[in-house]
Amino acid sequence: MKPPAFTYHRPASVADALAVLAETGPDGKVLAGGQSLVPVLNMRLAAPGHLVDINRLGELAHVTVDAGVVRVGALARHAAVERDAAAFAALPLLRQATGHVAHPAIRNRGTTVGSLVHADPAAELPAVLSLLSGSVTLASASGRRTVPAGEFFVGPLESALRPGELAVEALFPVPPKGSGTAWLEVSRRRGDFAVCGVGVLVTLSADRRVAAARAAYVSVGPTPLTVDLAEAVAGLPADTADWAAAGALAAARVRPEDDIHATAAYRRHLVAVLTARAGKAAVANA
Amino acid sequence: MHEVSVTVNGVLRSATVPARRLLSDFLRHDLGCTGTHVGCEHGVCGACTVLLDGEPVRSCLLFAVSVDGAQLTTVEGCRAPDGGLGPVQRAFHECHGLQCGYCTPGFITTVTAYLRDHPDPTEEQAREAIGGNLCRCTGYQNIVASVLRAAAIQRGEA
Ligand SMILES: Cc1cc2nc3c(=O)[nH]c(=O)nc-3n(C[C@H](O)[C@H](O)[C@H](O)COP(=O)(O)OP(=O)(O)OC[C@H]3O[C@@H](n4cnc5c(N)ncnc54)[C@H](O)[C@@H]3O)c2cc1C
Ligand code: FES
Ligand code: FES
């Protein structure tokens, strides 16, 4: 249970980090919070030759709200994102979901962007980014590109990050006025990975009818799954809309699998129940 | 090899270690601070929790080289200034918040940081505070009681 040997790099700037990553290519891995990478190394599931530690790149520790977007830098820890008052005011979903990520001691070190790159289908933040149609900015020695959530999560534990790239920032768009969000999940213990989790985003018209409603799910597919709930609830008065129908709609769309934590049937049941509850909660928050 | 210096419980300590040295092993093997315990080495049990610049973290998920220069507090640093039991340690002693003691260093550090930020928790909040630490002996009842007792001691209601 000890990590394999590796060469350690601690660049002092983003430019230096990109130079090292360009040189080490597929044999180089970024070390952010280490809350997913170090368990992987300790269990000898990977043995990268080089680790590029970004923990001294203070320039990447930002959480900022501007022009309708919450920007989260690669060194912003889960705990900092959760605490950030401006980010909460603009986008309550970030705090609502991050509070379910692991335990405080892990949130003190793990990063939001690291969680996105790690692309665990049981992780909250990839689903949040997908629900909001956000994106991730990737930098390499040869330039930058911004990848939308829909193309970023490629498969279980696989993101669109290429060798030599550093994810510098995630962009979470703020939903339009009149929107509300909620995050609900079921896990064995608070802080454990969810057996099923759901985030709902509703947007209401001026007369409090449902203009738009979407949900994103964790632990019921290989990548974060989003479902448009409009078919079940659009146009209805938000407070009396049939959220159970929205739950049934979602349950028919997801493709959960059996594993040691839960059966597929139980997960599908949770999708229906949690969607209905989260829909109502999102309306109450709008 | 890398020269790593950290301040442990107020004392500057250094050792030369390979990059792969986990902070938990650095504390125990290189610095001889064996109060920090190691259970799972993948972040799940919480036995290895120490305070890094005041905040609880898993020392088994950090490389010593990565935290060069940091201020660390381990269970040894949670004692009273006169060297006797600190308030959280005293509460665990009084309430039988430990049996074998394997998990205890992680609880003491976690609870110390929690009570600094939340001096008057409810029972539910006390449970939440220790949610990331596993104990195979006590059944947690006495640990929850210890958290509440430690809070009372710190508020001067000893
Ligand atoms: C006990 C335990 C419980 C957990 N429970 C949950 C949970 O319930 N929900 C949840 O979502 N997560 C959970 N996690 C994981 C946690 O959220 C991690 O913090 C997160 O997944 C990874 O972030 P990190 O900064 O620690 O990344 P690291 O571990 O440092 O890196 C993870 C991967 O991403 C790559 N990477 C990281 N940052 C970048 C970057 N900027 N550019 C390029 N590549 C990068 C690394 O090379 C590595 O491959 C848990 C972890 C533990 C140990
Ligand atoms: S030994 Fe670190 S969490 Fe278990
Ligand atoms: S007292 Fe034995 S594991 Fe907690």
Side-chain angles (χ1 to χ4, degrees):
Chain A
M1 296 293 284
K2 305 294 178 194
F6 55 84
T7 303
Y8 176 77
H9 304 267
R10 188 197 290 150
S13 69
V14 170
D16 287 352
L18 297 180
V20 180
L21 286 168
E23 215 169 282
T24 53
D27 205 24
K29 277 257 173 212
V30 171
L31 172 66
Q35 303 300 290
S36 295
L37 182 58
V38 180
V40 162
L41 297 178
N42 285 359
M43 292 187 268
R44 300 286 177 119
L45 299 173
H50 299 264
L51 289 193
V52 183
D53 185 351
I54 62 167
N55 282 282
R56 305 292 161 117
L57 303 183
E59 59 197 292
L60 296 181
H62 59 279
V63 180
T64 50
V65 185
D66 61 31
V69 179
V70 179
R71 315 171 84 92
V72 177
L75 196 55
R77 316 277 179 196
H78 292 304
V81 174
E82 188 182 3
R83 253 193 323 261
D84 196 277
F88 178 66
L91 194 48
L93 183 60
L94 274 179
R95 184 182 293 174
Q96 289 162 353
T98 302
H100 289 274
V101 175
H103 310 286
I106 287 156
R107 298 203 291 275
N108 280 338
R109 194 70 187 171
T111 65
T112 297
V113 171
S115 178
L116 297 173
V117 174
H118 190 60
D120 190 324
E124 285 79 3
L125 274 309
V128 169
L129 193 78
S130 302
L131 182 61
L132 299 170
S133 305
S135 56
V136 181
T137 301
L138 306 172
S140 71
S142 53
R144 285 186 174 227
R145 59 188 183 120
T146 295
V147 182
E151 292 161 32
F152 190 71
F153 303 108
V154 176
L157 304 179
E158 190 187 351
S159 73
L161 186 93
R162 296 182 192 135
E165 281 183 324
L166 173 69
V168 286
E169 184 176 72
L171 305 166
F172 295 91
V174 175
K177 271 213 163 0
S179 297
T181 57
W183 185 275
L184 289 178
E185 67 178 53
V186 167
S187 55
R188 295 289 300 273
R189 283 184 313 162
R190 176 81 189 232
D192 286 355
F193 279 106
V195 173
C196 173
V198 54
V200 169
L201 165 64
V202 295
T203 305
L204 308 186
S205 56
D207 59 353
R208 276 189 80 79
R209 283 173 187 273
V210 179
R214 262 154 57 86
Y217 298 88
V218 304
S219 295
V220 291
T223 54
L225 180 83
T226 55
V227 176
D228 191 342
L229 305 175
E231 207 180 296
V233 289
L236 300 175
D239 300 298
T240 54
D242 189 355
W243 290 102
L249 172 82
R253 297 277 163 83
V254 298
R255 293 278 169 272
E257 286 182 12
D258 291 327
D259 66 17
I260 55 165
H261 304 293
T263 61
Y266 179 57
R267 287 202 157 97
R268 194 182 300 281
H269 170 74
L270 289 178
V271 166
V273 173
L274 294 179
T275 303
R277 286 185 197 160
K280 283 186 195 155
V283 167
N285 290 334
Chain B
M1 299 292 273
H2 301 263
E3 159 99 15
V4 175
S5 301
V6 289
T7 303
V8 184
N9 305 322
V11 180
L12 187 64
R13 304 289 307 271
S14 340
T16 301
V17 296
R20 66 195 280 257
R21 180 75 87 245
L22 298 172
L23 179 60
S24 41
D25 290 338
F26 181 72
L27 287 166
R28 291 177 55 83
H29 303 312
D30 298 295
L31 302 185
C33 298
T34 51
T36 299
H37 288 177
V38 173
C40 67
E41 272 180 350
H42 59 275
V44 173
C45 75
C48 69
T49 305
V50 301
L51 308 186
L52 171 71
D53 298 325
E55 300 301 331
V57 293
R58 305 293 205 227
S59 62
C60 73
L61 298 186
L62 292 172
F63 294 113
V65 62
S66 187
V67 300
D68 184 31
Q71 301 272 343
L72 299 172
T73 305
T74 65
V75 65
E76 291 99 331
C78 296
R79 68 182 74 174
D82 69 1
L85 296 180
V88 180
Q89 293 169 324
R90 203 180 116 199
F92 271 69
H93 182 234
E94 286 177 15
C95 300
H96 301 284
L98 63 147
Q99 289 180 22
C100 79
Y102 202 87
C103 65
T104 311
F107 276 95
I108 301 287
T109 49
T110 301
V111 172
T112 297
Y114 183 79
L115 292 180
R116 179 196 63 209
D117 301 337
H118 309 86
D120 192 8
T122 62
E123 185 187 325
E124 199 185 325
Q125 288 168 331
R127 279 184 194 282
E128 179 85 30
I130 57 162
N133 293 69
L134 294 179
C135 174
R136 303 300 284 161
C137 299
T138 62
Y140 301 102
Q141 296 295 78
N142 288 351
I143 296 182
V144 173
S146 303
V147 177
L148 298 173
R149 174 78 186 123
I153 293 173
Q154 288 192 335
R155 290 193 309 265
E157 299 160 22

